[in-house]
Amino acid sequence: LLMTPPAVQCLLSPLAGRMATRLSPHLLVGTGMALYVLALGGLNFLTSDTRIALVVLAQVVTGAGCALFSAPNALLVMAAVTPRHYALASALQALARNLGMAVSMAILTVLFFALIDAAPADPAYALELEGALTRAFALGVLCGLVGLWCCVAGARAARRQ
């Protein structure tokens, strides 16, 4: 189940990279971000009764969103700098990605620590976990909407140039 998004991303990233050279990379980045927000929004409604097929579907959409976002985003970053600065731009992009993952994990840890009081063996644990996950996915949607707004703003700025 956890391998679904990276597997989909691995399958679709080469296609997204080719599409980024033919279509507007801004459009692909925005579409990828929108798919990611859509998937997180769907996961926001998870309950203990949710069918596994719906979770897998959300994971597939997440992987497709990441694929459509990643390769065109890298293209946009590299196109914004001179060849002399490619290494620096690539390093900054990797730093931003890793920092984002680390900060996200820290936020989730604090969120779970604050919202889950029951021990895992306690029947209340499942309900508290469900509530914490709902809040985590809602926070992800909010962050994704900010990212989507940035994608749209970047596309508008590129059109003006």
Side-chain angles (χ1 to χ4, degrees):
L1 184 64
L2 293 177
M3 287 301 299
T4 305
V8 171
Q9 185 177 1
C10 285
L11 292 172
L12 295 182
S13 285
L15 176 64
R18 282 192 297 275
M19 287 171 52
T21 60
R22 293 184 177 95
L23 301 172
S24 165
H26 291 286
L27 175 68
L28 294 173
V29 167
T31 302
M33 183 63 77
L35 285 173
Y36 201 71
V37 168
L38 180 71
L40 285 175
L43 290 169
N44 192 43
F45 298 102
L46 281 179
T47 67
S48 57
D49 298 325
T50 302
R51 291 193 328 243
I52 195 75
L54 294 175
V55 176
V56 171
L57 176 63
Q59 296 284 59
V60 167
V61 173
T62 299
C66 285
L68 286 176
F69 178 87
S70 297
N73 186 55
L75 177 72
L76 288 170
V77 168
M78 293 306 182
V81 297
T82 62
R84 186 173 142 236
H85 292 107
Y86 282 167
L88 179 61
S90 179
L92 284 174
Q93 196 171 25
L95 174 67
R97 185 174 36 253
N98 288 326
L99 186 61
M101 286 187 278
V103 169
S104 296
M105 291 307 296
I107 290 169
L108 283 174
T109 301
V110 168
L111 189 66
F112 283 12
F113 182 77
L115 297 175
I116 300 174
D117 291 326
D122 189 333
Y125 179 80
L127 290 174
E128 290 179 2
L129 178 62
E130 192 174 299
L133 286 171
T134 297
R135 287 182 178 91
F137 287 128
L139 182 60
V141 167
L142 288 175
C143 291
L145 288 172
V146 170
L148 187 55
W149 179 83
C150 291
C151 291
V152 171
R156 285 184 179 158
R159 255 189 265 134
R160 278 186 246 132
Q161 291 178 352

